[in-house]
Amino acid sequence: MSRLSPPPPRPVSVPAGLRRLVIRGQLRRPLALTVADLRERWAQRRAEVVFDCATNGPQHHTFEGPLLREVIDAAGPAFDARRRKDRSRFLLSVTGGDGHHTVLSWAELDADFGDSPILLATTLDGSALDEAGSQLVVPSDRCGARYISAITGIWVGACAVPGRCAVADGT
């Protein structure tokens, strides 16, 4: 495992109705949230997306949920928000219930950089995701590989030096 990788996810046996996603890493306020929390605490955005699925062809879906950036902001990333270069060093690793994961950069989300409207979906095609768990939605992606289902965790941390990530809190 490289120093860029967060620790592998630990299997958790939690009843679907109580499913939580844990946001941890270099944060001032780590969070554990349900889909209901995501729906109630943040404004819901809508994304109508089409992505190419290698096995099923084009997929058309409508998602609603808060912006990932706003949820992570609430957790207090441990960067100096006034310094663009400090913010641009941060990475996010998102893991789903099936172990599938992907990595995003804070710069993709940040309004001063990519300003991508990436969502933590609370609904899919009008159906609530409370039992299934939140889904990562990257509307700008042509394929659905970064659409992580049943999110169990999001790790946030800085890459201090090329090739090495700083892990100040041991997560």
Side-chain angles (χ1 to χ4, degrees):
M1 175 167 55
S2 77
R3 299 220 26 165
L4 285 177
S5 301
R10 294 183 199 136
V12 178
S13 177
V14 177
L18 301 176
R19 193 174 299 227
R20 294 185 188 280
L21 68 93
V22 176
I23 302 174
R24 62 188 179 85
Q26 295 177 352
L27 302 165
R28 292 175 185 89
R29 295 171 300 280
L31 299 171
L33 303 166
T34 64
V35 171
D37 294 330
L38 293 171
R39 186 179 304 106
E40 294 164 7
R41 293 176 57 183
W42 288 277
Q44 302 295 288
R45 311 297 170 108
R46 183 181 184 97
E48 294 182 9
V49 301
V50 177
F51 57 86
D52 291 325
C53 177
T55 56
N56 298 321
Q59 301 292 305
H60 299 261
H61 294 289
T62 301
F63 295 93
E64 292 181 9
L67 291 173
L68 174 60
R69 173 182 64 238
E70 292 175 356
V71 175
I72 300 300
D73 272 342
F79 53 61
D80 183 345
R82 299 167 299 179
R83 296 180 54 220
R84 287 186 186 116
K85 288 185 179 180
D86 196 34
R87 296 188 325 246
S88 70
R89 296 180 307 117
F90 271 64
L91 305 173
L92 296 87
S93 176
V94 181
T95 304
D98 62 358
H100 183 67
H101 67 278
T102 194
V103 175
L104 303 162
S105 71
W106 180 260
E108 287 180 80
L109 311 175
D110 194 298
D112 285 339
F113 296 98
D115 198 20
S116 184
I118 297 171
L119 301 180
L120 291 175
T122 60
T123 67
L124 165 60
D125 297 330
S127 297
L129 292 172
D130 294 75
E131 288 190 29
S134 182
Q135 183 167 335
L136 183 72
V137 178
V138 186
S140 61
D141 282 6
R142 190 180 67 78
C143 72
R146 294 198 297 175
Y147 283 58
I148 306 297
S149 298
I151 298 171
T152 58
I154 301 173
W155 175 87
V156 180
C159 206
V161 178
R164 297 189 328 204
C165 270
V167 184
D169 67 355
T171 60

